[in-house]
Amino acid sequence: MPPLFSGHETFPLRYAWLAKAVEATAQNGHIFSDDSAIATFGVGRNMVRSIKHWGLATGVLESEDRNSTKPSEFGWSTFGPDGWDPYCEDPGTLWVLHWHLCRDAGRAALWYFVFGLWRGHVLDLQRLEPELAKWLGEIEEPAPSASTLKRDFLCLSATYGPSVSSRNLEDSISCPLKSLGLLYSDAGTLHLREGHQRRIPPEVFAYAVIDYWERHHSEAQTLSIQQVLRANGAPGRIFLLSEEHAHDLVTRIEQLEASPFRYDNTAGIQQLYRTDNSRPSELLERFYKTMHPIS
């Protein structure tokens, strides 16, 4: 998909939306184009469109055709009526949602650019705009209008950090991804909080690594640590990890039962080797079964 800007109608993701989207689309795949959508979701038309956007952008929903959507395997398993974490109570779920939002530019291009490509620490439109235009030019895609980019920037800011607008207090406090702490404000300017993201479960990092591996290097049986850390759109970039923390996570993943990869450092070449236990959906299922065992 070409990079997509906007779609969120200026509303950041809210806690209850994903579970509602899964329930509604399981019952009616055309709900988002039906007149009944406003009553079903209990919100206005613009917010209905926003719910659809976030459902697709986070990988909770998937399109069947132009007018029909359904819960994805991940969406149903996590947010369905018997889902693992329908209310986003586990930090691991939030990290998975963040990964899904940022792993490609198809649904949330600015999210992908900021976390997957941007090499600055200070986050403001004056710095972002020329670099974003340069990247879009390299991939022969048109730049968004200034007004569209501003709306995207305000929405991203409200998604992860202190809102730069007081337009809607509910928007500024209700997004679950704020708790990840990836953005902070200093003297009114937003910054990326790079370093030790302590709350990333190793199983979720393993899931992101294998998902990235399958998307970008599906035929390779090895992947260098530097690719995992520093390549465009790689887990280390999107999670804003320090090299030390990434190595710590890899060590912990190797200690898991049925680890999806093993680490080798021979002659200074640091590589991951895939094992037979590396299907992404199975990694998530094992994580949730461990964190939320059935009594």
Side-chain angles (χ1 to χ4, degrees):
M1 293 180 62
L4 177 66
F5 294 87
S6 73
H8 45 71
E9 302 291 329
T10 75
F11 298 107
L13 173 66
R14 294 185 181 179
Y15 272 98
W17 282 1
L18 299 179
K20 287 182 178 180
V22 166
E23 179 184 6
T25 55
Q27 296 175 8
N28 177 6
H30 296 87
I31 184 62
F32 289 110
S33 57
D34 280 1
D35 293 335
S36 62
I38 293 175
T40 297
F41 292 107
V43 298
R45 178 62 64 185
N46 286 358
M47 205 170 275
V48 167
R49 288 195 287 266
S50 184
I51 293 172
K52 180 181 180 181
H53 166 80
W54 290 115
L56 291 169
T58 58
V60 168
L61 303 180
E62 58 189 24
S63 298
E64 292 190 285
D65 54 48
R66 184 174 180 178
N67 296 312
S68 179
T69 55
K70 66 177 182 179
S72 65
E73 180 183 355
F74 163 71
W76 185 254
S77 298
T78 308
F79 296 96
D82 298 312
W84 296 116
D85 190 22
Y87 303 109
C88 295
E89 296 172 307
D90 193 306
T93 302
L94 301 180
W95 286 112
V96 174
L97 294 175
H98 172 67
W99 168 250
H100 285 177
L101 270 175
C102 303
R103 65 186 174 183
D104 62 55
R107 293 285 178 186
L110 188 63
W111 276 247
Y112 170 76
F113 179 79
V114 165
F115 291 101
L117 300 181
W118 177 245
R119 286 175 166 78
H121 299 286
V122 177
L123 197 59
D124 63 37
L125 274 176
Q126 186 176 2
R127 289 175 170 85
L128 273 176
E129 194 164 10
E131 294 300 318
L132 178 68
K134 179 180 177 182
W135 166 61
L136 290 170
E138 290 171 351
I139 61 174
E140 300 182 347
E141 292 289 342
S145 68
S147 59
T148 295
L149 180 58
K150 182 177 180 180
R151 287 194 295 269
D152 260 21
F153 182 77
L154 291 175
C155 188
L156 185 147
S157 302
T159 299
Y160 293 98
S163 179
V164 296
S165 169
S166 58
R167 177 181 64 87
N168 190 325
L169 179 61
E170 185 179 0
D171 284 348
S172 72
I173 64 175
S174 62
C175 181
L177 297 179
K178 283 181 177 294
S179 65
L180 298 180
L182 293 173
L183 297 186
Y184 69 95
S185 179
D186 183 20
T189 301
L190 287 174
H191 298 258
L192 296 175
R193 191 189 304 276
E194 297 184 89
H196 200 83
Q197 312 300 352
R198 297 178 183 278
R199 302 178 73 196
I200 299 179
E203 297 91 342
V204 171
F205 183 64
Y207 163 76
V209 170
I210 296 301
D211 187 50
Y212 170 79
W213 205 324
E214 289 195 349
R215 285 169 170 269
H216 299 280
H217 307 280
S218 59
E219 301 301 318
Q221 290 302 304
T222 65
L223 197 65
S224 75
I225 286 289
Q226 285 305 306
Q227 284 177 293
V228 172
L229 278 176
R230 300 290 172 246
N232 290 343
R237 294 287 295 275
I238 286 174
F239 292 144
L240 305 183
L241 292 178
S242 67
E243 188 165 342
E244 178 186 4
H245 190 199
H247 279 279
D248 176 63
L249 285 167
V250 168
T251 299
R252 294 167 65 190
I253 290 165
E254 280 200 296
Q255 296 169 356
L256 296 174
E257 183 178 353
S259 173
F261 52 73
R262 63 181 179 84
Y263 169 71
D264 183 73
N265 183 2
T266 302
I269 300 176
Q270 301 175 335
Q271 298 265 60
L272 301 181
Y273 292 80
R274 286 189 70 162
T275 68
D276 295 331
N277 307 301
S278 56
R279 188 167 175 260
S281 61
E282 292 175 355
L283 291 170
L284 281 187
E285 183 177 357
R286 292 206 303 268
F287 165 69
Y288 282 116
K289 284 183 175 178
T290 300
M291 299 301 294
H292 307 280
I294 298 173
S295 55

